[in-house]
Amino acid sequence: MYTERNNARRKQLSSSRLLLVAAMILQMAAIIIGIRPAMVYAAENTVQDSTKINTKKQPQIYIVDKNGMGDFVSIQEGVDNASDGDTLLIYPGTYIEAVQVMNKDIQIVGVSKDLCILQYDTAFYRKIPLTIASGKVSNLTIHGMDSKVQQIGPTQEEIDRMNAELVGDSWERQKNYSGYAVHIDQNCLYGKNMIFENCRIISENNHCVGIGTRGKSKISFENCELISMGGGSCVFMHDPTSIEVSGAAALVMKNSSMTSYLCPYVMTFQSLFPAYNSIDLTFQNVRVSAVAYAESDGYISDNVNTSFEVETLLELEQAGTLYVNGLNTSATALVHEMSPKEANDYMKALEEALDAGDAAKVMAIKLPEGISYIGKIPQDSETDTKTSAPLFSLPKFNTAKHQVIAVYNAGNQPGSGWCGLNNAVLNADSFGNTLVEMNNTIPYTADNAVFPNFGIGY
């Protein structure tokens, strides 16, 4: 009996050694000829399974190559075949897809954000370049387009499926909205993280990124560019209204940039269920290039932001008292007051680029770091007879608040949190940012500010 067991054991070890050698050969082949990692994983798993059955699936790496040289030709095909923990390696190309990652925690990794582009027309709220909730996305450009071409909406079957998912909402309401470039709003985010690294996110319609938080979760952006070209801001964030998925959430943004070419808001926050939700905000070295207007229909009267208005920041900066109020900025000048010609040239160049649907042409228009303030641009008949430039009028105050961060609370009253948001706190480790609201300094409001004696009244 002992001999039989020994013989069986020797055979098992011999078999294991052969399989191990096979795995090593495959690994060497992977280095020499670039064999796909999934094959290596398979060989390694076979070695492990020869002595003990391993029920836990090892993470796989799949190649997505639109030219047919990988495992899949589309990102969505890769998503459909991937499992939690798997990685999709995206090869260079422009992928015109509405990718939906539902209830999966995977990594989507491009080889370069300049070479790997995911884009889709965002005419419809639920058909956008990327719908995702947890995992990691890196080295991609994600472009929410406005192609100016009539798009085909969802079928009745798709609408029925949507309405079954939309508790307290309906497609009848959502159909009136264009889509984000990226949408993060699924219950599977609860207790997980969503990470973006080295990404460029462009939106020609709605907000660049729409976020519905979940409890015990964190959404982070590092070394990312968020570029808004349409009517939405760079980030829109709200809390959930269901107790089951409520709780503390965090937004972290580091070494990134946000540019808003048209929308007067760079970020938008909404508090829906403050009794059950909180948001911890961390901003580090975030550069902002924003626009503000003396007159614009884009400002919303429901904004309850308690920080300074742009006109006040401009006057504080011009008087040299910005830092007296405990405010600091990474920009050389926080508020740039455009001349009449600059404002006219900017709006004309932007309109031409947007009408042409040319995102590259829009991004070629360089906005300085800080807030570019566009005064009242009068009718063409109101011109300076000497220079033929439009006459420039700069009113101090308008009815709606002129701020680059919008805050909406349930009940439409300011709260005690960050910028008047009911349930948000700015982390103490926030520094080096363009906007004064994003830097952790002494508490400030219009009521405790130190103003020079030039007659500002509230």
Side-chain angles (χ1 to χ4, degrees):
M1 183 70 69
Y2 176 79
T3 303
E4 290 176 359
R5 282 201 303 266
N6 265 354
N7 288 337
R9 180 61 177 161
R10 278 196 294 272
K11 288 179 180 178
Q12 186 182 44
L13 288 174
S14 176
S15 176
S16 295
R17 289 192 187 99
L18 287 172
L19 288 167
L20 182 59
V21 169
M24 291 174 64
I25 291 171
L26 282 172
Q27 287 175 324
M28 293 175 64
I31 296 172
I32 296 170
I33 63 174
I35 194 168
R36 287 194 293 274
M39 296 177 65
V40 178
Y41 280 127
E44 291 174 343
N45 289 343
T46 304
V47 174
Q48 294 173 1
D49 291 345
S50 68
T51 56
K52 182 180 179 181
I53 296 175
N54 185 2
T55 57
K56 184 177 180 181
K57 179 183 177 293
Q58 294 296 312
Q60 305 290 302
I61 299 176
Y62 298 107
I63 292 174
V64 177
D65 183 359
K66 65 174 298 182
N67 298 312
M69 301 301 290
D71 298 292
F72 308 108
V73 296
S74 73
I75 299 174
Q76 186 64 61
E77 187 184 4
V79 168
D80 292 342
N81 286 276
S83 302
D84 283 355
D86 288 349
T87 297
L88 301 180
L89 181 60
I90 314 300
Y91 273 24
T94 298
Y95 297 81
I96 303 175
E97 302 183 51
V99 175
Q100 292 193 338
V101 186
M102 309 298 291
N103 300 310
K104 288 185 179 181
D105 196 322
I106 63 175
Q107 297 191 52
I108 303 176
V109 181
V111 297
S112 164
K113 69 180 178 183
D114 294 320
L115 301 176
C116 302
I117 302 167
L118 170 61
Q119 66 182 39
Y120 201 78
D121 194 292
T122 52
F124 294 102
Y125 186 76
R126 295 287 290 246
K127 296 183 73 173
I128 63 172
L130 182 59
T131 300
I132 194 168
S134 64
K136 184 177 181 180
V137 178
S138 57
N139 305 326
L140 285 181
T141 288
I142 306 167
H143 183 183
M145 300 171 60
D146 180 6
S147 65
K148 315 296 183 188
V149 177
Q150 182 70 34
Q151 299 296 304
I152 299 174
T155 65
Q156 188 58 50
E157 181 182 354
E158 290 173 323
I159 292 172
D160 292 341
R161 187 166 60 248
M162 288 178 197
N163 284 334
E165 299 170 0
L166 298 173
V167 179
D169 206 343
S170 72
W171 175 249
E172 285 303 307
R173 186 189 71 86
Q174 290 190 353
K175 73 178 183 181
N176 298 315
Y177 298 97
S178 57
Y180 314 122
V182 176
H183 197 180
I184 306 165
D185 193 0
Q186 298 174 40
N187 285 347
C188 68
L189 175 59
Y190 184 87
K192 296 179 182 177
N193 297 330
M194 183 68 244
I195 301 168
F196 290 86
E197 288 183 355
N198 305 313
C199 288
R200 180 183 296 119
I201 304 174
I202 306 168
S203 178
E204 296 183 38
N205 279 317
N206 210 327
H207 308 281
C208 293
V209 182
I211 302 171
T213 67
R214 297 297 189 271
K216 302 179 182 179
S217 68
K218 180 171 71 174
I219 298 96
S220 62
F221 299 85
E222 187 156 1
N223 297 315
C224 290
E225 304 169 60
L226 278 65
I227 303 166
S228 168
M229 300 179 180
S233 60
C234 293
V235 174
F236 171 64
M237 191 170 191
H238 67 83
D239 53 355
T241 56
S242 173
I243 296 175
E244 289 75 15
V245 291
S246 290
L251 172 66
V252 178
M253 189 173 288
K254 297 181 179 181
N255 304 314
S256 296
S257 65
M258 292 188 287
T259 302
S260 180
Y261 281 100
L262 183 64
C263 179
Y265 298 122
V266 169
M267 294 188 293
T268 306
F269 294 89
Q270 188 174 26
S271 170
L272 301 171
F273 210 27
Y276 292 91
N277 297 296
S278 64
I279 302 174
D280 185 272
L281 302 169
T282 302
F283 302 105
Q284 293 180 2
N285 303 316
V286 178
R287 302 291 181 258
V288 171
S289 297
V291 291
Y293 305 90
E295 291 185 347
S296 172
D297 294 336
Y299 291 106
I300 307 299
S301 59
D302 291 343
N303 180 14
V304 296
N305 191 330
T306 54
S307 60
F308 293 129
E309 295 189 47
V310 172
E311 290 88 352
T312 303
L313 290 171
L314 174 60
E315 296 196 38
L316 288 171
E317 190 169 39
Q318 289 176 339
T321 59
L322 194 64
Y323 292 92
V324 174
N325 288 281
L327 309 179
N328 57 68
T329 173
S330 61
T332 304
L334 176 60
V335 184
H336 308 265
E337 189 175 4
M338 283 190 177
S339 70
K341 185 177 186 308
E342 288 173 335
N344 216 40
D345 290 347
Y346 174 77
M347 296 306 295
K348 182 179 179 182
L350 183 61
E351 184 178 11
E352 289 176 352
L354 291 175
D355 286 346
D358 192 337
K361 193 172 182 180
V362 174
M363 289 187 288
I365 303 171
K366 297 302 180 184
L367 279 173
E369 181 187 357
I371 305 169
S372 294
Y373 188 80
I374 300 171
K376 180 182 177 182
I377 301 178
Q379 301 298 318
D380 293 339
S381 59
E382 299 179 62
T383 56
D384 188 315
T385 54
K386 293 182 180 179
T387 64
S388 297
L391 292 173
F392 190 62
S393 175
L394 179 61
K396 275 189 179 179
F397 302 104
N398 274 10
T399 304
K401 292 183 177 182
H402 295 172
Q403 294 165 316
V404 293
I405 298 175
V407 172
Y408 304 101
N409 285 331
N412 198 29
Q413 294 296 322
S416 58
W418 173 79
C419 287
L421 194 65
N422 275 330
N423 55 355
V425 175
L426 184 65
N427 193 290
D429 197 20
S430 294
F431 57 82
N433 306 294
T434 302
L435 299 183
V436 295
E437 298 93 331
M438 295 163 66
N439 293 310
N440 195 290
T441 57
I442 62 171
Y444 57 88
T445 66
D447 294 328
N448 67 12
V450 178
F451 291 103
N453 186 22
F454 48 42
I456 293 183
Y458 288 88

